[in-house]
């Protein structure tokens, strides 16, 4: 009996919440559309877009410089990349074994 009461109460709450939720959603969506269509908001959006277009070359140069600096820190200063990586690996690692897969009967 408790489960049936719980299911009925949950069903009623779901139906009432869905109706109120849809009405509230329509209210919020209408307000958002009204704000979006406001000429003052559109003017500010156009100004922000123009500023972004004007600053794009400056940002591009800064990002390229930062990427170059980061790449220099990551690149090894000597030797080949493969030799450096092999030196850093554990010698018992299966990646350095000639045949990492066991052959024959297993115990």
């Amino acid at each position: 009996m408790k489960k049936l009461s719980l299911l009925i109460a949950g069903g009623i709450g779901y139906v009432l919440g869905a109706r109120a939720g849809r009405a509230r959603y329509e209210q919020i969506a209408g307000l958002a559309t009204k704000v979006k269509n406001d000429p003052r908001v559109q003017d500010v959006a156009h100004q922000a877009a123009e500023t972004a277009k004007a600053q794009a070359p400056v940002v591009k140069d800064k990002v390229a410089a930062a990427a170059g600096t980061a790449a220099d820190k990551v690149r090894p200063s000597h030797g080949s990349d493969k030799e450096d990586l092999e030196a850093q690996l554990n010698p018992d690692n299966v990646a350095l074994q000639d045949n990492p897969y066991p052959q024959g009967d297993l115990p």
Side-chain angles (χ1 to χ4, degrees):
M1 191 66 177
K2 276 186 156 182
K3 288 183 181 181
L4 181 61
S5 299
L6 181 63
L7 287 174
I8 291 173
I12 292 171
Y14 175 78
V15 170
L16 293 176
R19 286 185 183 166
R22 182 67 183 176
R24 182 67 179 147
Y25 169 79
E26 294 293 337
Q27 182 183 19
I28 292 170
L31 181 62
T33 302
K34 186 177 177 181
V35 169
K36 184 186 99 173
N37 292 333
D38 188 335
R40 295 173 294 182
V41 172
Q42 289 187 358
D43 287 341
V44 171
H46 288 301
Q47 289 175 357
E50 292 300 320
T51 302
K53 286 179 188 175
Q55 295 298 319
V58 174
V59 172
K60 176 187 163 198
D61 293 340
K62 287 184 179 182
V63 169
T69 302
D72 289 342
K73 289 181 181 179
V74 173
R75 280 193 204 113
S77 59
H78 64 291
S80 72
D81 290 340
K82 183 178 178 183
E83 290 173 2
D84 289 341
L85 289 175
E86 286 179 352
Q88 293 174 8
L89 287 174
N90 180 355
D92 295 330
N93 192 328
V94 293
L96 295 177
Q97 294 178 1
D98 291 331
N99 187 3
Y101 303 106
Q103 305 294 320
D105 296 330
L106 295 176

